[in-house]
Amino acid sequence: MYLQQAESSGPAQDPVEGPEKPLKQFIYESSSLPFGQRSIPLSSIRGPTYSTAQELIQQVAYTLSDCLWTYSPTTFDLDLAAKRWFKDGALNAYGYRTNVQSMQIRQGAASIALGYMFSKDFDLKKRFMPQTVIAPSPSLSYLRYTLEQLSLLYSVANPFVAHVAAVDYSGGTSSLVIDYVSTMNLAEELGFALVAASSVHESQHMALFATLLASIMPSIHIYDGVIVGRETTRVIDVSGQVGLHTNYQTILQEASNSNHKSDDIDTKVERLLKAFNGELGTDYGLFEYHGHPTPEAVLVTFGTVESSLGAQVASSLAKDGISIGVLNVRLYRPFVEKEFLRLLPKSTKMIGVLGQVANKEADTDRSTNSALYHDIVAAVTFSSSLQPIPSVVDIKYSREEVWTPVSIAAALQLIMKRPLTQHDEVSEDDQEGQELRLLDSAIAQQYIFWDTDDSPSANAPLVLGSALSKDSSSNITTRSCHDNLIIGGLIRTDIRKSKQTINAPFAIDAADLLYIGDSKLLELFDTVKGLKPGGKVLLKLTGVKDDEIEKRLPKAFQKAVSTQGGELFVLDPSGIELVANDPGLETYLLQTAFLRVGLPNLEKIGLDKLASINGSSSIFDELSVNLEKALRKIEVPEDWKTLEVDPACDSLPSDLKMNSFVAFDKTENEPPSYLRDWKTAAKGLAFKEAYNTRTALRPDMATKTYTVHVKENRRLTPLTYDRNIFHIEFDLGDSGLQYQIGEALGIHAENDEFQVEEFIRFYKLDPEEVVEVPSREDPSVLENRTVWQALMQNVDIFGRPPKRFYEALAEFADDPKEKHELEALSGAEGANEFKRRAEVDTITYADILLEFPSAHPSFHDIVRIVNPMKRREYSIASCQKVTPNSVALMIVVVGWVDPKGRDRFGQATRYLNKMRVGAPVTVSVKPSVMKLPPKSTQPLIMAGLGTGLAPFRAFVQYRAWEKAQGKEIGSVLLYMGSRHQREEYCYGEEWEAYQDAGVITLLGRAFSRDQPQKIYIQDRMRQTMGDIIQAYLKEEGAFYLCGPTWPVPDVTNVLEDAIARDAKALGKKTDPHQEIERLKDQLRYVLEVY
């Protein structure tokens, strides 16, 4: 997508009547492209325009090069636009397609470029044309040998330029880091020129200058490949293809006319830059000074972010009369000393060198100095013009350093004798924050969006940025970063909006609006730290009532919002039926809510612009009208400011650790399948030794399995009750199965026989055909099965298919329409429809095969592309000491009705519920965290909801057995929760019998709906707080919770209150949260929740 700006942005016109256009699907492609979308035609790039540095650099390289060799890791997309232009047949400045070659990063990788330039068949007419490389900085070590040969042969070679993205992975943290040092060292050792851009606004110019510089010596243009290289912003001065070529020829000719054979390289470079500035009307220097005219101290920088922030911070401080300055190095090689000394203010007494080193070890090693430091020391020491000679300090930093205005100011403080800020009443951090606001909030607005990368609204910020960019009176900047190591993948997007040109290469720290798309983030990050005082917070909470909101918000978040004087809004997509039925519409809901909360005065115009991008106005009109149903403003109480917060919250990060340019790929590759026929199976059975054949109960299972038989199967809830909870007990017989207290029983269920028969008929399969299938649990194990057996026990044909199944099935479709629909469902285009099918319609593999009849894979292919059946695990509800020959389970049948009115069931619960006495079942045993404490005298405090009571039945049976053996046992506190006593008091007679026998000390029953006021398990616990303190804390008992996750915070709060009360009574100071963590380590706080 390309957004060419209009000359003005007046009021929106009334829409022309006509048929409503369908909604467009926002297709995110790459952060290297403007607003993440498709690159525009090469011939259309001209300014002013919205672009990225990465795209503009590729434009220069493609336009002016004969050949372009790219060394881009797949997710870096350093060459995405260039490859597309080549594919589309775009012509360069010489009238033909630039030959774009994507190369592997390996030793000798650039040999092909050298071979091309010095080939006997090389067209000598092209000898003057630049040859170009685009690569990330770590790849240069693999190109080194070839670059060294090129340097030696340069007098007879083509002009050569490398555009290098300074980006690498940190070895210690796996995060993306900005890497200049490797390129600086290589340029020094091989004699290459090295020039840096300090912003996206300079990227095209510096790419052009580096290409011109290649006429003198091989050159490298380096730029920040992590942040600045990928942010979308409005660049005013952008030349088109014709302008680039004209400028290139004119500057080259002028510089050539001024040069003489006796001129040294420094002189040639200076003349080239003079001609460059004269032609473009710019004022670039080999070095550039910013700050106080007569500074005491000067900081020397090199690099995109370092130079940009250094200049801005120094200029800001200089306005306050602080005698500090920053001298940016634009051309690192050749290092023109006389120009450096000319620009260094004579008043300078101290020089700080902000120099990057390879790693943190080098940063702390006093014997190691940065490369830039050596250049500055040499220039200053041997200068005759500096009297006295300033002292030089090496302010080293590792590649992992993330620069902000505050950290740049801290570096400046190291070379100043007095404080940079002087406000006695304000803390140091606050001083810096107040003094270093580089963007005026009166003319710049800032917005932060946090979300999971698979959220329906993950790309909404980019759509909003695109819509805002349609106002030609404003400048918009967007940047996104991914952290794929936290909760399956996170994305943060920053948007800045200003009347002036934006140059802010740092994360937003004073947002007007902060959006948080998942409440889990509140526990992991200090998101509110990025909010400006009085800013607005928009939090997505689905299906939460007003009186429940406060419980869902961490205290640290509550306190932070209140302290900042923030306004809190909650966005609940379930409040609007249209969105609740189609989660894919959440992205449009967020866009509408953003305008209502963040830009209320521009809502009408904004909706029109969003409609033009998304293709439909009716959806935005409907969402706007009904927005109050989903958007609520929440009162922020004053007492939130005084909440006591866990000190650990102070160390929560306020930003992501960027470790990828793309969202986490959650697709799983299918392992190869080696399917064979009945003949191979017969050979294996006839010649067992030759084929290493062995017989096994379930060879497809990697775990040890047993055959047990149903001994009892009885329903625990009334037949008239809507929940079917049943007790099933198995006779172990001579199976040899043994289990421990708290372990789980794995049920290797089978598909429904009727459904399998129906599928075989529909799909026209031979149920007796024998196939040999590699086990999915252990691919080295081959299993001989009939089609019937495979569908009954192996293939999850009635399970829920992932996206990759649609993609795989599309390969078999003969009908073009069906093929297109399957491909759409497997990609971003069909994300909303896929989600509806999975979560609303609960479509199965079999349903899809029925729906798309032209896609008819063979049964062997079905086994390959359909997931295998998995065992289902249930907590064991019996103690083998008490019932040595049986094992019991407590299970609730999972069932629902789909939109077509069909009854649906969970596979394993349906399978078990139908089992009659004597029926065989394949099972296995899985260890669990639910273990009894080592001493029989230690109390047990157990809380179980619904079928979560199962393991506690085993616990109580074991304690009863111990008591019968004459052992002293500790107290047993059992809390149970369900809806109604009459229907769900499961094992009630047993519990009361154990209580009468003195095994259960306390029986806390919470039936939430048997009285007007709901009573939950945590309420019963609070009512018996004294018993909990005695058993849990005084007698060192162990606490267990089993069941759903929702009561965990409330139950934990009860235990923390118990700890606090006990500590207060003893006159001790205790952090309840830390005490719970200690109890976890001692296995005295155990959760098994789902």
Side-chain angles (χ1 to χ4, degrees):
M1 181 183 74
Y2 179 63
L3 301 172
Q4 180 65 46
Q5 300 305 306
E7 290 301 316
S8 65
S9 181
Q13 297 180 351
D14 293 333
V16 179
E17 291 186 6
E20 179 64 34
K21 296 180 181 179
L23 281 168
K24 296 177 185 176
Q25 180 70 36
F26 179 93
I27 307 298
Y28 177 83
E29 195 163 349
S30 171
S31 60
S32 67
L33 301 176
F35 298 109
Q37 295 200 296
R38 183 180 177 89
S39 59
I40 64 166
L42 177 65
S43 59
S44 299
I45 297 181
R46 62 180 64 90
T49 185
Y50 277 90
S51 189
T52 65
Q54 196 62 59
E55 184 181 56
L56 293 174
I57 290 166
Q58 291 174 79
Q59 179 221 14
V60 174
Y62 192 98
T63 298
L64 300 178
S65 303
D66 169 45
C67 278
L68 176 57
W69 289 277
T70 64
Y71 301 83
S72 175
T74 304
T75 59
F76 283 23
D77 291 338
L78 302 179
D79 55 356
L80 188 61
K83 287 192 295 187
R84 184 160 293 150
W85 296 329
F86 174 75
K87 181 180 179 181
D88 293 343
L91 304 181
N92 60 18
Y94 315 111
Y96 58 89
R97 286 196 306 170
T98 299
N99 187 14
V100 179
Q101 297 285 337
S102 296
M103 312 297 292
Q104 293 181 348
I105 299 175
R106 54 179 176 79
Q107 292 294 344
S111 298
I112 187 173
L114 200 62
Y116 171 76
M117 284 188 277
F118 293 99
S119 168
K120 293 180 181 180
D121 301 325
F122 183 76
D123 185 353
L124 295 179
K125 294 178 182 179
K126 297 182 178 180
R127 182 60 73 192
F128 67 93
M129 297 179 184
Q131 308 295 337
T132 305
V133 162
I134 292 178
S137 50
S139 69
L140 296 182
S141 61
Y142 296 95
L143 310 181
R144 181 188 174 92
Y145 175 78
T146 302
L147 296 179
E148 187 174 13
Q149 297 301 309
L150 177 64
S151 181
L152 296 173
L153 299 169
Y154 201 67
S155 61
V156 292
N158 285 66
F160 175 84
V161 58
H163 300 288
V164 176
V167 53
D168 194 5
Y169 283 102
S170 167
T173 63
S174 298
S175 58
L176 288 165
V177 295
I178 301 172
D179 172 32
Y180 298 118
V181 63
S182 60
T183 307
M184 294 171 74
N185 291 336
L186 182 134
E188 164 66 17
E189 294 165 4
L190 301 187
F192 275 52
L194 180 57
V195 61
S198 62
S199 73
V200 61
H201 305 281
E202 297 179 357
S203 57
Q204 189 194 54
H205 287 172
M206 288 305 102
L208 175 60
F209 180 69
T211 308
L212 289 162
L213 198 56
S215 64
I216 301 173
M217 59 194 299
S219 66
I220 298 174
H221 165 224
I222 194 165
Y223 58 95
D224 166 21
V226 179
I227 302 171
V228 176
R230 294 174 175 272
E231 67 180 13
T232 298
T233 195
R234 191 184 190 198
V235 186
I236 304 300
D237 190 5
V238 177
S239 298
Q241 270 193 293
V242 175
L244 276 175
H245 190 221
T246 301
N247 291 336
Y248 178 79
Q249 290 182 312
T250 303
I251 296 168
L252 207 59
Q253 185 63 46
E254 184 176 341
S256 177
N257 292 339
S258 303
N259 287 335
H260 303 90
K261 290 185 178 179
S262 59
D263 291 341
D264 59 18
I265 287 181
D266 288 5
T267 302
K268 291 180 179 179
V269 169
E270 288 181 291
R271 285 177 178 161
L272 179 67
L273 183 59
K274 181 179 179 182
F276 184 85
N277 285 328
E279 177 66 18
L280 298 183
T282 52
D283 191 26
Y284 294 115
L286 303 179
F287 304 89
E288 294 165 357
Y289 178 78
H290 306 270
H292 199 278
T294 56
E296 298 176 18
V298 170
L299 184 70
V300 180
T301 69
F302 177 80
T304 304
V305 176
E306 294 86 336
S307 296
S308 175
L309 283 181
Q312 294 181 65
V313 172
S315 299
S316 175
L317 294 173
K319 290 179 182 178
D320 294 334
I322 298 174
S323 55
I324 194 78
V326 168
L327 188 54
N328 294 334
V329 179
R330 181 175 296 282
L331 186 71
Y332 177 66
R333 285 292 180 270
F335 192 90
V336 184
E337 287 188 5
K338 66 176 183 179
E339 183 65 9
F340 171 79
L341 294 172
R342 185 183 72 81
L343 286 176
L344 182 69
K346 304 303 180 185
S347 59
T348 305
K349 298 177 182 178
M350 171 74 77
I351 299 175
V353 179
L354 199 63
Q356 189 182 76
V357 291
N359 48 50
K360 292 181 179 179
E361 289 72 20
D363 188 14
T364 56
D365 184 357
R366 293 187 178 183
S367 64
T368 301
N369 291 111
S370 65
L372 185 58
Y373 172 79
H374 291 294
D375 290 298
I376 304 305
V377 168
V380 170
T381 302
F382 296 105
S383 169
S384 58
S385 61
L386 293 177
Q387 295 297 330
I389 296 174
S391 57
V392 182
V393 178
D394 193 6
I395 304 175
K396 298 183 294 181
Y397 66 95
S398 69
R399 302 184 309 164
E400 289 77 12
E401 184 72 41
V402 178
W403 291 106
T404 66
V406 171
S407 58
I408 287 289
L412 289 168
Q413 183 65 77
L414 294 174
I415 56 175
M416 286 293 290
K417 292 182 179 180
R418 58 179 182 273
L420 294 179
T421 56
Q422 302 186 17
H423 291 271
D424 296 335
E425 72 279 6
V426 183
S427 69
E428 183 176 340
D429 288 343
D430 287 341
Q431 290 172 22
E432 291 173 347
Q434 291 177 5
E435 297 292 328
L436 298 174
R437 294 290 182 213
L438 301 183
L439 291 177
D440 185 352
S441 60
I443 59 174
Q445 293 81 50
Q446 304 180 92
Y447 315 103
I448 302 175
F449 297 80
W450 291 77
D451 216 335
T452 55
D453 61 20
D454 58 358
S455 165
S457 54
N459 291 324
L462 295 178
V463 180
L464 287 165
S466 173
L468 293 172
S469 73
K470 291 183 176 294
D471 178 3
S472 60
S473 66
S474 295
N475 295 280
I476 307 299
T477 294
T478 65
R479 59 171 288 225
S480 298
C481 59
H482 293 269
D483 187 336
N484 290 346
L485 302 180
I486 298 181
I487 60 174
L490 300 179
I491 181 172
R492 169 175 164 162
T493 302
D494 288 9
I495 299 179
R496 289 183 166 102
K497 176 178 181 288
S498 175
K499 297 295 182 183
Q500 300 177 353
T501 297
I502 301 173
N503 183 16
F506 54 92
I508 292 175
D509 57 1
D512 294 83
L513 184 145
L514 168 67
Y515 170 73
I516 304 160
D518 193 320
S519 60
K520 295 177 185 175
L521 294 170
L522 305 180
E523 301 280 0
L524 301 172
F525 294 91
D526 183 1
T527 55
V528 183
K529 193 171 184 179
L531 187 71
K532 79 174 187 180
K536 299 174 180 179
V537 179
L538 180 59
L539 175 63
K540 176 185 167 184
L541 285 175
T542 304
V544 178
K545 298 178 181 178
D546 286 350
D547 58 355
E548 298 172 345
I549 289 176
E550 188 167 340
K551 294 181 181 179
R552 293 284 298 273
L553 304 180
K555 291 181 179 179
F557 174 80
Q558 296 176 30
K559 184 172 184 178
V561 172
S562 182
T563 302
Q564 284 289 83
E567 296 181 66
L568 178 61
F569 297 82
V570 165
L571 185 64
D572 181 1
S574 69
I576 299 178
E577 185 178 359
L578 179 67
V579 181
N581 293 334
D582 185 358
L585 297 178
E586 284 185 21
T587 182
Y588 309 113
L589 177 63
L590 173 56
Q591 294 166 38
T592 307
F594 169 81
L595 292 175
R596 179 74 55 88
V597 177
L599 297 169
N601 296 331
L602 300 176
E603 182 175 349
K604 179 62 174 68
I605 296 175
L607 289 175
D608 291 340
K609 292 178 178 179
L610 287 173
S612 69
I613 293 175
N614 292 292
S616 173
S617 60
S618 62
I619 185 67
F620 287 101
D621 291 340
E622 183 169 352
L623 290 175
S624 179
V625 170
N626 293 287
L627 187 59
E628 291 183 0
K629 298 177 182 178
L631 181 66
R632 291 171 282 170
K633 184 174 182 180
I634 307 301
E635 180 185 357
V636 179
E638 278 294 317
D639 59 7
W640 279 9
K641 292 181 181 179
T642 59
L643 290 173
E644 293 186 10
V645 175
D646 186 343
C649 295
D650 295 336
S651 61
L652 288 177
S654 59
D655 197 4
L656 299 180
K657 285 190 176 180
M658 187 174 179
N659 49 46
S660 180
F661 294 123
V662 298
F664 176 57
D665 184 2
K666 299 174 179 63
T667 59
E668 299 177 7
N669 294 324
E670 287 286 341
S673 180
Y674 306 96
L675 300 179
R676 304 178 185 176
D677 55 21
W678 67 269
K679 297 176 183 178
T680 306
K683 290 177 183 179
L685 293 172
F687 308 101
K688 293 183 178 180
E689 291 185 4
Y691 285 86
N692 194 27
T693 303
R694 64 181 179 86
T695 302
L697 174 63
R698 287 293 299 272
D700 57 312
M701 300 298 176
T703 54
K704 182 174 177 56
T705 55
Y706 309 85
T707 296
V708 297
H709 294 81
V710 177
K711 181 180 179 180
E712 182 183 6
N713 189 347
R714 61 185 169 91
R715 179 164 175 153
L716 299 176
T717 54
L719 289 173
T720 55
Y721 193 50
D722 60 355
R723 296 189 79 210
N724 178 2
I725 302 176
F726 64 97
H727 169 93
I728 188 167
E729 195 162 339
F730 302 101
D731 184 355
L732 303 182
D734 57 359
S735 66
L737 185 150
Q738 293 185 342
Y739 60 93
Q740 302 297 322
I741 293 292
E743 291 186 327
L745 193 70
I747 301 296
H748 301 273
E750 297 181 357
N751 278 321
D752 180 72
E753 185 174 346
F754 174 77
Q755 287 185 311
V756 168
E757 290 175 350
E758 192 176 49
F759 179 78
I760 287 175
R761 284 195 299 272
F762 147 69
Y763 215 71
K764 298 179 181 178
L765 296 172
D766 178 2
E768 300 303 321
E769 181 184 357
V770 178
V771 291
E772 187 175 66
V773 187
S775 166
R776 296 300 178 93
E777 299 286 343
D778 184 357
S780 65
V781 175
L782 295 175
E783 178 191 8
N784 296 311
R785 302 247 117 185
T786 65
V787 168
W788 166 267
Q789 288 174 321
L791 287 172
M792 286 293 294
Q793 299 179 346
N794 290 68
V795 185
D796 195 16
I797 197 71
F798 305 112
R800 187 177 300 180
K803 274 191 176 183
R804 66 174 182 274
F805 176 73
Y806 291 91
E807 182 180 9
L809 191 62
E811 297 177 8
F812 299 96
D814 297 327
D815 185 323
K817 184 178 179 182
E818 290 188 0
K819 185 179 183 69
H820 175 74
E821 187 173 352
L822 286 166
E823 288 174 342
L825 286 166
S826 66
E829 179 184 352
N832 298 336
E833 173 64 12
F834 171 79
K835 189 167 185 177
R836 183 188 64 78
R837 286 167 163 263
E839 298 179 4
V840 180
D841 295 344
T842 58
I843 295 293
T844 69
Y845 291 101
D847 292 332
I848 297 171
L849 291 169
L850 178 65
E851 182 182 355
F852 298 94
S854 80
H856 196 88
S858 69
F859 184 72
H860 287 188
D861 286 317
I862 286 178
V863 174
R864 179 175 60 84
I865 65 178
V866 174
N867 283 340
M869 291 164 63
K870 302 293 185 183
R871 65 175 177 174
R872 268 58 167 187
E873 291 151 355
Y874 301 94
S875 296
I876 293 175
S878 60
C879 167
Q880 199 164 22
K881 293 283 188 183
V882 177
T883 57
N885 298 316
S886 66
V887 60
L889 302 177
M890 178 189 185
I891 298 173
V892 60
V893 174
V894 178
W896 68 97
V897 178
D898 72 9
K900 293 183 179 179
R902 297 176 297 181
D903 289 327
R904 298 286 203 179
F905 298 94
Q907 181 213 37
T909 58
R910 181 185 194 181
Y911 169 75
L912 289 173
N913 189 46
K914 295 197 306 180
M915 282 287 156
R916 297 187 177 184
V917 173
V921 179
T922 302
V923 300
S924 56
V925 177
K926 182 188 177 184
S928 169
V929 295
M930 303 287 281
K931 298 182 184 299
L932 285 169
K935 298 178 183 178
S936 63
T937 54
Q938 286 182 268
L940 305 179
I941 304 97
M942 301 171 289
L945 283 82
T947 56
L949 283 172
F952 303 142
R953 182 172 184 262
F955 279 26
V956 174
Q957 284 184 356
Y958 185 78
R959 277 292 163 92
W961 177 82
E962 284 185 313
K963 186 173 183 180
Q965 301 301 310
K967 291 184 179 181
E968 181 184 354
I969 63 171
S971 56
V972 174
L973 284 64
L974 177 62
Y975 298 91
M976 63 180 66
S978 59
R979 291 184 291 183
H980 302 285
Q981 180 172 1
R982 180 179 175 182
E983 288 84 5
E984 288 189 68
Y985 189 24
C986 299
Y987 301 125
E989 293 181 357
E990 287 188 29
W991 305 132
E992 292 175 6
Y994 282 124
Q995 187 175 31
D996 292 340
V999 178
I1000 293 180
T1001 312
L1002 186 152
L1003 193 56
R1005 294 163 291 196
F1007 301 106
S1008 60
R1009 302 184 187 180
D1010 278 353
Q1011 58 284 315
Q1013 182 181 3
K1014 291 184 179 179
I1015 297 177
Y1016 296 107
I1017 200 168
Q1018 60 267 25
D1019 300 317
R1020 292 300 186 212
M1021 291 176 66
R1022 284 196 180 279
Q1023 292 170 1
T1024 56
M1025 184 71 80
D1027 297 284
I1028 291 177
I1029 292 174
Q1030 180 63 33
Y1032 193 34
L1033 304 175
K1034 304 292 188 185
E1035 299 174 8
E1036 298 185 345
F1039 174 79
Y1040 305 87
L1041 173 63
C1042 185
T1045 57
W1046 65 263
V1048 171
D1050 294 322
V1051 168
T1052 304
N1053 285 339
V1054 175
L1055 297 179
E1056 288 179 348
D1057 287 348
I1059 292 168
R1061 290 189 191 184
D1062 184 52
K1064 185 176 181 180
L1066 296 174
K1068 295 181 180 179
K1069 278 192 174 182
T1070 303
D1071 183 337
H1073 179 72
Q1074 290 183 359
E1075 184 65 14
I1076 289 289
E1077 293 300 317
R1078 185 183 69 82
L1079 292 167
K1080 283 183 185 178
D1081 294 338
Q1082 295 179 354
L1083 300 181
R1084 292 177 54 205
Y1085 176 90
V1086 181
L1087 305 182
E1088 188 167 276
V1089 292
Y1090 38 83

